[in-house]
Amino acid sequence: MPDQERKATHEWRREKVRSELECMRQSQIFRRLKDVPAQRELRFSEIQKVSSLLEVWSSRLLCLSPQHVKVCSLPKPHVALIDAICHAIEWPDTLLTEQLILGAPAVGDIPDSGIFRKEDVPSSQTLESLDNCEWNAKLMASIEAEARRPDKATVLARLWEKTQAEVEKGIAFPIGSSQAMNKRVGEGAWRAMRTFGVEQNGKLRPCDNAKAFLHNACTFMHECLTSETADFLLRAAAIFAGPVGDESKFSFGIRTEDLESAYRRFPVSQPHLTCFAQWDPVAKRVAFFGLHGFNFGLVAAVVTFNRLAQLLNRCAVRLIPIVSSHYFDDFCVAEPGFAGKSGQHLLCHFMKLLGFVFQSDLVPVGEKRKGALWAMRNSFLGLSFDFSDFSDNRIAICKASDEKAPQIVGKIELILSTNSLVMPGGLSKLIGKLQFVLSWSAGRYGRAAMQPLYAAQSLLPSSHLSPEDIAALQFFLQILSRGCPPKVFSFKQNSGASLLVWSDASWGDLGENTTQGGLGFVIFDAEDSASECGRGYYSDTLSSHEMLEAFVVKSQYIGQLELLAAIAVYYSLPLLFR
DNA sequence: CATGGGTCGTGACACTTGCG
DNA sequence: CGCAAGTGTCACGACCCATG
């Protein structure tokens, strides 16, 4: 047998064995994944057994809670189970269980939980240095002053309504006047905040002003929040697409769950510092309220709540196990069709076991839930994801929610019709919206056309549109009138032949009053079909004078030439990049 | 009110280059 | 060698987005 032929045969066999092994591995993984729902049910029933054994301990531990925590109407956390899980998974946040029983600090030194990035944000004030009586008098005066303003009447009425709803739910409790506060905790021993409203998507969200009343200035944080990003869904899809391979068909879907009144769920240890005051439009006086949990507006609330959410999510991921993540109180399960339903289902029941009930209806194990369990199209963090072509083609489509497009189109039309960039909300608002809709979700689509808008921002107050402004705005108008531009992600394993590219430029003086720019690039194609060890491409050239004349006039051209060299790669070998 | 992420422009500073 | 101009890097602040 000639040498060449023998080599080829050997190569063919090796290839064959490799692909057989791959097939076997994939089918194994696939079969094991299909077993997931049954295995999960098994593990969950074990957790349930442990849970009921520990119930007696939880009620004993919760007897130790201070009064303000005891009277809260939210379901009580199963602290003994939580503690057992923390030990089992070696959770670093060792204070968590204790704080769920006794309350966590809302102001002052907030100990490092070890969950988030370590970073000190020192306090600028101390609680001891503040005269609470003086500040509470100020608080009364400012609320009374606001109540005299007729333009504030509707907001104050809406805020009052919101607080009443919280009182009815049993997560805030009325205290009454400032005299009642003094009687309750002692004069000068409490420090309240003033409630104000923030308009958010047409809804009014009550916040307590922890900045103005120095609660936040007195807070020392030792860690910095790290939260989930929208690409979680894509990473989750990739986890399954990789080992399962391109051939097996399986669908992929998402379901989100909300934990209601998030911050209020974590009890505080200093209820005398978390009370808030607002105008009572019915009785026409200042009214004080107490809280079991955290206020919106406290620095400490963010990290403290997220510590809890982080544990709830991570223990479900590790013990059941499921693929899920969370953004504050928004939990998101992202799994294949053959496993996703059980993941979703068990997350709800696991949370209920731990004492945290999701907003959606909860139905006993084994029974069918109302509505869609799990969907191939869903949104997370303001972006919509479509996995409906995942099974056939391993594709996911991501874009900003389509409701956003008409809103931006309207703004652009207004600018074009008035020929003016000066408008209500400002140009920066339009730029911000465009940035979100084009950059983050659509992979920096139309980035170049944003330049005139950035330039116009610092050019104000100019009331006329330049030809570039008009061209850019018309471009965005055309794009967005068809909805927000989508970005397509492919999860195919064997389509990712990669190329290595280097490009560079030079700029120098040749003497005799002439300067010259040079461009060059090298490309390496590791998976070139015709050669065994890959193929390299090389090119270099001097830039033409016509090209240099087209550049922006500067004393050095290196920056522009480097950019040109990068572009030249694509124009020189377009077929290679297909 | 708070957290995180992003973009841009600004100013301070360091380094490189051209010139005398 | 010093000076001036250009360029790059970094921190910062403004604004936007998401969320509570």
Side-chain angles (χ1 to χ4, degrees):
Chain A
M1 191 189 279
D3 204 38
Q4 232 172 351
E5 200 177 317
R6 204 179 62 231
K7 256 191 190 163
T9 314
H10 178 71
E11 197 51 47
W12 179 82
R13 283 211 180 111
R14 240 171 62 182
E15 194 53 49
K16 185 87 182 145
V17 169
R18 227 183 276 159
S19 71
E20 289 290 315
L21 276 172
E22 188 58 18
C23 275
M24 187 190 74
R25 200 168 63 90
Q26 284 175 10
S27 65
Q28 279 285 57
I29 288 165
F30 204 69
R31 208 169 57 232
R32 278 173 55 198
L33 284 171
K34 284 200 183 248
D35 268 354
V36 159
Q39 286 179 20
R40 283 172 169 171
E41 291 287 350
L42 216 64
R43 296 184 78 157
F44 186 66
S45 68
E46 289 301 314
I47 296 169
Q48 273 178 312
K49 279 179 207 161
V50 176
S51 168
S52 43
L53 283 173
L54 290 171
E55 254 160 36
V56 58
W57 281 99
S58 269
S59 41
R60 281 167 76 172
L61 286 164
L62 289 168
C63 286
L64 303 170
S65 288
Q67 198 57 27
H68 75 276
V69 177
K70 263 185 203 161
V71 296
C72 178
S73 70
L74 287 171
K76 295 276 177 270
H78 194 337
V79 285
L81 180 60
I82 291 172
D83 197 53
I85 287 170
C86 284
H87 274 89
I89 66 175
E90 294 177 3
W91 194 243
D93 190 359
T94 49
L95 283 173
L96 188 72
T97 323
E98 190 188 308
Q99 289 181 344
L100 283 172
I101 300 165
L102 300 175
V107 182
D109 193 73
I110 313 295
D112 180 20
S113 69
I115 301 298
F116 303 108
R117 176 156 49 86
K118 179 113 184 65
E119 197 180 304
D120 283 354
V121 186
S123 49
S124 55
Q125 299 253 359
T126 60
L127 278 171
E128 295 74 39
S129 68
L130 302 173
D131 181 347
N132 290 337
C133 290
E134 189 193 322
W135 278 87
N136 289 328
K138 247 189 231 177
L139 168 74
M140 300 283 293
S142 74
I143 293 171
E144 282 160 0
E146 193 184 28
R148 282 193 290 271
R149 289 178 55 180
D151 58 313
K152 294 275 178 179
T154 44
V155 172
L156 291 178
R158 284 169 79 191
L159 283 175
W160 182 253
E161 219 171 275
K162 289 268 181 186
T163 303
Q164 290 308 305
E166 286 211 297
V167 170
E168 268 160 45
K169 264 167 65 185
I171 53 178
F173 52 94
I175 294 175
S177 60
S178 60
Q179 288 83 0
M181 285 296 299
N182 285 336
K183 218 171 135 187
R184 196 183 179 92
V185 283
E187 202 172 339
W190 52 279
R191 186 176 184 83
M193 284 173 258
R194 197 179 117 190
T195 305
F196 67 99
V198 170
E199 196 79 35
Q200 235 171 11
N201 301 322
K203 281 189 198 162
L204 192 75
R205 183 189 280 286
C207 300
D208 298 328
N209 202 329
K211 184 183 184 175
F213 291 89
L214 303 182
H215 292 69
N216 287 345
C218 296
T219 305
F220 198 142
M221 296 302 298
H222 299 278
E223 57 195 316
C224 187
L225 187 68
T226 41
S227 41
E228 192 53 88
T229 48
D231 58 352
F232 161 69
L233 298 176
L234 304 171
R235 297 198 313 270
I239 289 172
F240 291 96
V244 172
D246 293 343
E247 301 316 313
S248 314
K249 282 202 173 192
F250 73 95
S251 56
F252 194 81
I254 318 123
R255 171 77 186 199
T256 58
E257 293 285 352
D258 257 36
L259 211 55
E260 232 182 352
S261 32
Y263 290 173
R264 306 287 202 232
R265 281 173 185 268
F266 209 118
V268 291
S269 59
Q270 305 150 310
H272 55 291
L273 300 176
T274 57
C275 40
F276 61 91
Q278 66 188 116
W279 185 252
D280 176 351
V282 185
K284 311 254 183 252
R285 60 189 174 105
V286 179
F288 285 84
F289 295 88
L291 277 181
H292 323 96
F294 278 81
N295 313 64
F296 280 95
L298 283 171
V299 171
V302 181
V303 161
T304 309
F305 172 75
N306 275 281
R307 279 165 60 200
L308 174 64
Q310 189 81 358
L311 171 77
L312 295 178
N313 182 63
R314 292 307 301 173
C315 69
V317 168
R318 289 173 62 175
L319 296 180
I320 294 182
I322 57 173
V323 177
S324 102
S325 190
H326 75 98
Y327 189 83
F328 286 73
D329 67 345
D330 198 359
F331 285 71
C332 177
V333 182
E335 296 193 341
F338 55 75
K341 288 167 192 167
S342 76
Q344 152 70 22
H345 188 70
L346 288 173
L347 177 68
C348 288
H349 287 93
F350 194 20
M351 289 304 114
K352 194 185 180 188
L353 212 56
L354 295 167
F356 298 90
V357 182
F358 283 132
Q359 215 163 0
S360 65
D361 294 330
L362 209 79
V363 185
V365 183
E367 278 180 39
K368 257 197 150 181
R369 282 168 56 114
K370 293 194 251 184
L373 270 163
W374 157 101
M376 289 187 271
R377 287 179 205 176
N378 223 323
S379 54
F380 184 52
L381 290 172
L383 299 178
S384 86
F385 292 86
D386 185 349
F387 283 90
S388 53
D389 200 16
F390 184 84
S391 185
D392 288 340
N393 294 311
R394 289 287 193 275
I395 275 173
I397 300 167
C398 163
K399 59 176 171 173
S401 312
D402 272 332
E403 307 93 73
K404 296 216 177 279
Q407 195 193 341
I408 301 172
V409 163
K411 268 193 159 222
I412 295 175
E413 278 169 344
L414 182 72
I415 294 175
L416 286 172
S417 66
T418 56
N419 189 32
S420 165
L421 286 165
V422 188
M423 48 184 270
L427 185 58
S428 57
K429 198 152 184 141
L430 176 68
I431 291 175
K433 284 183 192 300
L434 281 171
Q435 230 158 243
F436 179 73
V437 156
L438 303 167
S439 265
W440 171 219
S441 38
R444 302 180 178 224
Y445 189 94
R447 201 163 193 260
M450 292 292 281
Q451 290 305 316
L453 301 185
Y454 292 134
Q457 208 176 5
S458 55
L459 224 79
L460 286 171
S462 117
S463 47
H464 293 296
L465 300 182
S466 69
E468 297 88 65
D469 296 335
I470 293 170
L473 289 170
Q474 272 168 348
F475 169 73
F476 291 129
L477 196 65
Q478 208 180 333
I479 296 308
L480 291 170
S481 56
R482 293 190 295 256
C484 293
K487 181 159 184 184
V488 180
F489 294 90
S490 170
F491 296 87
K492 281 241 165 84
Q493 299 302 298
N494 55 18
S495 66
S498 55
L499 294 170
L500 297 174
V501 177
W502 294 268
S503 71
D504 204 357
S506 66
W507 170 253
D509 198 343
L510 296 177
E512 292 163 32
N513 256 345
T514 52
T515 44
Q516 195 143 50
L519 309 173
F521 63 77
V522 178
I523 302 173
F524 180 65
D525 181 2
E527 283 154 72
D528 184 85
S529 51
S531 57
E532 246 179 76
C533 53
R535 185 191 291 265
Y537 301 85
Y538 166 82
S539 177
D540 73 315
T541 184
L542 294 174
S543 67
S544 66
H545 284 286
E546 292 79 31
M547 188 59 83
L548 286 180
E549 275 160 25
F551 281 153
V552 174
V553 178
K554 283 190 175 173
S555 58
Q556 289 214 43
Y557 288 81
I558 186 69
Q560 293 178 76
L561 284 160
E562 279 175 348
L563 197 60
L564 184 63
I567 298 166
V569 174
Y570 294 96
Y571 279 95
S572 306
L573 292 160
L575 292 175
L576 205 59
F577 291 90
R578 287 275 154 82

